[in-house]
Amino acid sequence: MEVITEPPQRILVVTPHPDDAEGGCGATMAKWIKESGTEAVVLMCTNGDKGTADREIAPAELAVIREREQRDASRVLGVKDVVFLAYPDGTLENTQKFRGQVVREIRRHRPDIIFCIDPYRSISHTHRDHRMSGQVALDAAYSYAWSHLHFPGQIEEEGLQPHMVKEAFLWGSESPDVFVDVDGYLEMKADSLSAHASQMTRRTPEERIERIRTGTANQGEKVGLAHAESFRRIEFDLGSMAWLFLNS
Ligand SMILES: [Zn+2]
């Protein structure tokens, strides 16, 4: 168990649906961006066009609403950019095309840490898009993005360079081992979630902040903090290839 005290310079948050990233690492983004100038980019994999029980609203209409809500939520947190892949909700697959799209954003934004949902749960089930986006994010970071021989067109034609992501922080994990002190950033997290108005119909803003307060207090308690967001960390080990990148 470790409390992270040195914020990274750049992070890429790979997330399946509008509102997932804010729930998973919203307060961490807010804190690092505000206090340390961390550059955060959100890669939104689907358009969330099936996230409603309202039979009056068409998927295409919902997709437009949710893209706007995502932009608003990211603005609350100070996110630098949101990239929309716009796959229809529920259709993510671990394909070469999808991996290439995530690799492209890794090479463009060159994050120190990639954030995604933990795709490897053994006790609880989660949305298929959550598993797929988590797997593809991890696969893209290791071992596609760092090798010029993977997706060479991005290097030869788009002018990008290979990039080695140092580590992944997985939210929604059953066994978190790193923690970020988010005391003072619970309101920003709540506000960013409230921006997803089409999804936030079950709770009032007061209930939302209370739920966040309880959840972050439970995580914080594990490491002696009042409030924390927690993640499972995966450190990528390039072994003998690492010198190529560490010396470049
Ligand atoms: Zn989701």
Side-chain angles (χ1 to χ4, degrees):
M1 302 251 193
E2 183 183 338
V3 177
I4 302 297
T5 53
E6 288 195 20
Q9 289 185 317
R10 287 180 298 276
I11 61 173
L12 178 67
V13 180
V14 180
T15 186
H17 309 111
D19 80 7
D20 286 324
E22 290 70 31
C25 57
T28 297
M29 281 194 272
K31 179 191 174 90
W32 286 354
I33 292 167
K34 183 146 187 262
E35 293 184 8
S36 310
T38 299
E39 287 187 0
V41 172
V42 170
L43 177 56
M44 178 56 57
C45 300
T46 78
N47 61 15
D49 67 352
K50 296 182 184 68
T52 187
D54 182 350
R55 297 194 180 194
E56 299 302 312
I57 188 162
E61 192 185 342
L62 183 60
V64 171
I65 292 168
R66 297 197 71 183
E67 178 171 330
R68 192 179 59 233
E69 289 175 347
Q70 183 59 51
R71 289 190 192 284
D72 291 345
S74 294
R75 199 172 302 120
V76 168
L77 301 176
V79 167
K80 185 184 167 202
D81 196 11
V82 190
V83 178
F84 293 88
L85 297 182
Y87 283 96
D89 201 335
T91 68
L92 290 183
E93 297 290 346
N94 192 343
T95 63
Q96 189 75 346
K97 179 188 171 191
F98 185 19
R99 284 193 292 275
Q101 289 172 312
V102 179
V103 167
R104 178 179 288 112
E105 299 312 319
I106 290 172
R107 289 172 173 172
R108 279 180 65 205
H109 301 291
R110 313 186 72 73
D112 304 301
I113 303 175
I114 192 164
F115 280 74
C116 62
I117 296 183
D118 192 337
Y120 305 113
R121 294 195 200 174
S122 58
I123 302 166
S124 53
H125 185 65
T126 185
H127 194 296
R128 179 178 175 80
D129 288 340
H130 291 201
R131 303 198 307 278
M132 292 297 147
S133 62
Q135 275 193 344
V136 166
L138 292 171
D139 286 338
Y142 186 90
S143 55
Y144 289 78
W146 64 267
S147 169
H148 69 286
L149 296 173
H150 285 298
F151 305 105
Q154 295 177 2
I155 290 156
E156 290 156 15
E157 290 147 34
E158 300 177 36
L160 298 174
Q161 288 300 319
H163 178 68
M164 189 179 84
V165 182
K166 295 190 187 82
E167 51 192 3
F169 278 20
L170 314 184
W171 77 82
S173 176
E174 291 168 343
S175 45
D177 53 8
V178 293
F179 298 78
V180 177
D181 181 349
V182 294
D183 205 8
Y185 292 90
L186 307 188
E187 285 76 12
M188 282 175 83
K189 179 181 173 105
D191 289 348
S192 71
L193 281 165
S194 296
H196 296 282
S198 69
Q199 307 301 301
M200 301 294 143
T201 52
R202 279 170 40 219
R203 295 186 184 87
T204 65
E206 292 71 31
E207 289 168 338
R208 190 165 308 122
I209 186 81
E210 198 46 48
R211 193 160 181 270
I212 290 169
R213 206 169 275 135
T214 306
T216 54
N218 287 341
Q219 294 307 309
E221 201 178 355
K222 297 175 185 174
V223 285
L225 295 171
H227 296 281
E229 282 181 339
S230 63
F231 309 95
R232 182 161 75 88
R233 173 160 63 185
I234 293 177
E235 291 175 277
F236 298 117
D237 180 12
L238 275 182
S240 59
M241 297 295 286
W243 68 272
L244 280 173
F245 300 93
L246 297 173
N247 294 325
S248 64

